[in-house]
């Protein structure tokens, strides 16, 4: 296993699967075991870790870093300034913004505001992550939520704007509160003292 810089002649490298309809620009860094499916576009400065899966119609901009083991479902665009740590899940059609005050006119400028999604976090289908937010480790953003501020580690957030409605285990299940104030996962029985 390793990471290599992809050049045009490497598109047939067996360490990475790239569907024939995908466009991977020269210079993109792709980790071994990664699969890039139909109609994706990976820009030249992008860095993608090992063992990732990019579903149909995913766009990855130049200044994007994707960690190892990430799963990015169909129709997700990762714009400059987005950084996904290891084992992040991005549900179908979730949205990342990267400018708080976007304008079409070039005289108004363009200011990339970074977004960080930490290890093991999950973002549901059609959720929107407003730039400048940090999604904590193993946090879960519900489908359709609009995240406008930081999300704590293991937090479950939902709604517009997103608000915390609970806590989740590393396995993804919602935690149950115990009488002593601690939390336990109903599935894997892991205990948390939050």
């Amino acid at each position: 296993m390793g990471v290599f810089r992809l050049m045009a002649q490497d598109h047939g490298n067996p360490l990475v699967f790239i569907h024939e309809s995908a466009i991977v620009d020269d210079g993109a860094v792709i980790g071994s075991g990664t699969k890039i499916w139909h109609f994706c576009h990976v820009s030249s400065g992008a860095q993608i870790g090992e063992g990732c899966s990019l579903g149909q119609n995913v766009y990855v901009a130049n200044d994007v870093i994707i960690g190892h083991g990430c799963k990015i479902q169909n129709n997700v665009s990762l714009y400059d300034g987005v950084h996904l740590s290891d084992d992040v899940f991005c549900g179908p059609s979730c949205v990342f913004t990267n400018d708080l005050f976007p304008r079409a006119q070039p005289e108004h400028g363009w200011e990339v505001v970074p977004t960080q999604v930490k290890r093991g976090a999950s973002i549901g289908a059609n959720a929107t992550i407003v730039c400048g937010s940090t999604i904590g480790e193993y946090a879960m953003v519900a489908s359709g939520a609009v995240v406008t501020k930081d999300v704590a580690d293991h937090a479950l957030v939902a709604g517009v704007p997103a608000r915390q409605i609970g806590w989740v285990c590393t396995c993804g299940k919602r935690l149950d509160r115990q009488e002593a104030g601690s939390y336990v996962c109903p599935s894997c029985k892991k205990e948390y003292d939050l």
Side-chain angles (χ1 to χ4, degrees), residues 20-189:
E20 63 185 19
S21 66
I23 298 170
V24 178
D25 294 339
D26 289 352
V29 177
I30 312 290
S32 64
T34 289
K35 295 178 181 179
I36 300 172
W37 291 98
H38 306 71
F39 311 115
C40 290
H41 181 190
V42 179
S43 300
S44 62
Q47 298 178 46
I48 301 173
E50 298 177 4
C52 294
S53 176
L54 278 63
Q56 180 175 302
N57 197 37
V58 170
Y59 171 68
V60 183
N62 284 307
D63 184 28
V64 170
I65 299 172
I66 298 172
H68 305 300
C70 292
K71 186 169 187 178
I72 302 165
Q73 298 288 64
N74 297 352
N75 305 314
V76 175
S77 292
L78 301 170
Y79 297 113
D80 286 338
V82 175
H83 180 182
L84 307 181
S85 298
D86 296 346
D87 304 317
V88 168
F89 175 86
C90 295
S93 302
C94 72
V95 175
F96 291 89
T97 69
N98 71 347
D99 188 343
L100 290 172
F101 306 101
R103 291 285 190 220
Q105 304 86 6
E107 66 270 16
H108 293 293
W110 179 47
E111 183 181 344
V112 173
V113 180
T115 297
Q116 171 78 37
V117 183
K118 294 189 175 179
R119 180 183 183 93
S122 292
I123 300 169
N126 295 305
T128 298
I129 311 302
V130 175
C131 57
S133 303
T134 297
I135 311 297
E137 288 189 3
Y138 299 101
M140 186 169 290
V141 176
S143 295
V146 177
V147 174
T148 60
K149 60 184 181 180
D150 292 351
V151 176
D153 294 349
H154 293 273
L156 171 61
V157 298
V160 180
R163 291 184 173 84
Q164 186 170 348
I165 61 170
W167 300 99
V168 291
C169 182
T170 55
C171 75
K173 302 292 190 225
R174 188 171 183 166
L175 298 176
D176 292 333
R177 186 180 171 112
Q178 304 300 296
E179 289 182 20
S182 63
Y183 292 81
V184 66
C185 177
S187 180
C188 70
K189 307 302 181 197

